[in-house]
Amino acid sequence: MKKATNCIIHPTVKISDFTNLYGCELQEGVFIGPFVEIQSNVKIGKNTRVSSHSFICSSVTVGSDCFIAHGVVFTNDLFTENQQDWIERKTIIGNNVRIGSNATILPVVIGDGAIIGAGAVVTKDVPANTIVKGNPAR
């Protein structure tokens, strides 16, 4: 069972069962694994692979040729405001980025070719062609 509401999905996209997709755009050659949720205002570039049990919240842009491993979670909140003054923040992932299993990505910019280690908690921007790991990721 798949649920895709108000999405733009290229015909070559492969979507596994048990997914929830809301108002996102999936470009050519994208693969979405099982038990993935992708919220509104998310764009995923060509040939990117999103593995099972990952959560991509609204306002995330993922470049082309990226790999998002199992259980990766994106957030769009820094919890710096009162709840009633909530600000949705953006995350931008460059091209050819690899993100390891169970990483947590806060609202940041990750440059082209970066590698995020498994279990990392990314709280700050990651320059292109950089490897980070740990909590917080360095």
Side-chain angles (χ1 to χ4, degrees):
M1 179 170 69
K2 305 169 201 170
K3 182 176 183 180
T5 305
N6 299 321
C7 296
I8 299 169
I9 300 173
H10 191 276
T12 60
V13 169
K14 292 184 173 122
I15 302 171
S16 301
D17 286 335
F18 310 110
T19 58
N20 293 311
L21 310 173
Y22 307 99
C24 60
E25 179 182 344
L26 307 178
Q27 294 184 344
E28 181 180 347
V30 166
F31 172 83
I32 305 296
F35 304 104
V36 168
E37 180 169 329
I38 302 174
Q39 295 186 331
S40 62
N41 198 24
V42 170
K43 180 177 178 182
I44 299 184
K46 294 178 182 179
N47 302 315
T48 287
R49 183 176 187 89
V50 180
S51 300
S52 69
H53 299 89
S54 291
F55 173 74
I56 304 177
C57 64
S58 57
S59 294
V60 172
T61 300
V62 179
S64 297
D65 300 304
C66 294
F67 177 75
I68 298 172
H70 303 277
V72 173
V73 174
F74 290 80
T75 68
N76 56 11
D77 195 346
L78 294 175
F79 297 96
T80 54
E81 300 83 24
N82 295 324
Q83 189 173 2
Q84 63 273 15
D85 298 323
W86 180 69
I87 298 170
E88 182 175 78
R89 300 179 192 276
K90 295 182 180 188
T91 297
I92 299 172
I93 308 299
N95 299 318
N96 300 303
V97 171
R98 293 184 288 166
I99 301 176
S101 293
N102 296 315
T104 300
I105 313 297
L106 276 64
V108 294
V109 175
I110 297 177
D112 294 347
I115 299 173
I116 311 300
V121 178
V122 180
T123 61
K124 295 183 179 177
D125 292 352
V126 177
N129 302 309
T130 301
I131 300 172
V132 298
K133 61 183 181 175
N135 180 6
R138 296 175 213 203

